[in-house]
Amino acid sequence: MKPPSLSKPLQAGLLMTVMLTAIALLKPEALDASVTDGSPVRAASNQKTGTDLRPQAPWIRLAGEEWKPSDAELQKAADALVAAAAPVVTPPPVVEPPKPTAPDPALAYLGRIDQDGRHYVFLGRGADPQVVEIGGLVDPQWKVEKATATQVQLRYLPLNEVRSIPVAAVQ
C-alpha cells in the first residue's frame, strides 16, 4: 500500500507558512520607553517630542512602528516558493498504435475458366494449385471477390480489407 503523501501545491504552501512564521518570530519587539543609555527614543503615546532618535540597533522596533519585511526578505521568500513548487509536466501525447493491415495473400494467379455460367480462378500457393469459384473461400481468411482481365480481388475476412493479385499473361 502506498503511504499517503502531500500534493506539490500543498507542500509549497506549507513551506511558505513555515518561512513566514520564522520571519515573524525573528522580528524584534516594540519598545515603549527609552533605550537603556537614557536617550529618548519614542514615547508610547502618539505625541512627538521633536527629538525622536532612532536607536543604533536596527533590530529594535520602536513603539507604534509597523514591522514589514524588507524587499530582500520578500524576494527571498518568493524565490523559495517558486523553487519549492514543482514544475508542471505535461503528459506525453497519446500515440495510437498503427491500424492492423491485411497480410500478403501469398497466392499467384494461374488462370481462369468459365464453365456452365460459373466462373472459376486457378490460384497457386507454392506448389499447391487451388480452383476457387468467384465468391468462394480460398481458405478461412481469404475470399475471392471478383476477377477481371487485369486483376483478381481477394477480401481478407478478419479485417474486411481488399487486396489484389495482378493477372499476368499466361503462356
Side-chain angles (χ1 to χ4, degrees):
M1 183 173 161
K2 184 178 171 184
S5 63
L6 300 176
S7 67
K8 294 294 181 182
L10 185 57
Q11 288 177 0
L14 289 173
L15 179 65
M16 186 67 170
T17 302
V18 168
M19 289 179 58
L20 291 176
T21 302
I23 292 172
L25 290 174
L26 293 175
K27 73 178 183 178
E29 294 297 323
L31 294 178
D32 285 336
S34 62
V35 181
T36 56
D37 66 355
S39 62
V41 179
R42 197 184 275 179
S45 66
N46 290 336
Q47 299 175 354
K48 291 200 174 200
T49 61
T51 59
D52 288 346
L53 297 176
R54 182 94 178 137
Q56 296 296 323
W59 57 87
I60 297 177
R61 185 168 48 101
L62 302 174
E65 183 178 5
E66 207 42 52
W67 179 84
K68 292 182 192 174
S70 68
D71 290 338
E73 290 172 328
L74 288 175
Q75 185 61 40
K76 189 175 182 181
D79 290 344
L81 182 61
V82 169
V88 177
V89 177
T90 57
V94 176
V95 178
E96 294 188 26
K99 184 179 176 184
T101 59
D104 184 31
L107 295 168
Y109 176 78
L110 300 176
R112 177 181 174 163
I113 188 170
D114 296 327
Q115 185 179 18
D116 299 329
R118 299 169 86 181
H119 307 286
Y120 297 94
V121 290
F122 294 93
L123 300 173
R125 180 176 282 155
D128 182 26
Q130 294 179 331
V131 179
V132 182
E133 184 176 3
I134 295 178
L137 295 175
V138 177
D139 60 25
Q141 295 181 341
W142 293 98
K143 176 182 177 183
V144 177
E145 288 285 314
K146 66 179 182 177
T148 65
T150 58
Q151 66 182 1
V152 175
Q153 287 187 351
L154 302 172
R155 181 170 301 275
Y156 184 65
L157 297 175
L159 297 176
N160 199 25
E161 191 174 310
V162 176
R163 290 290 178 114
S164 298
I165 299 174
V167 173
V170 178
Q171 300 285 338

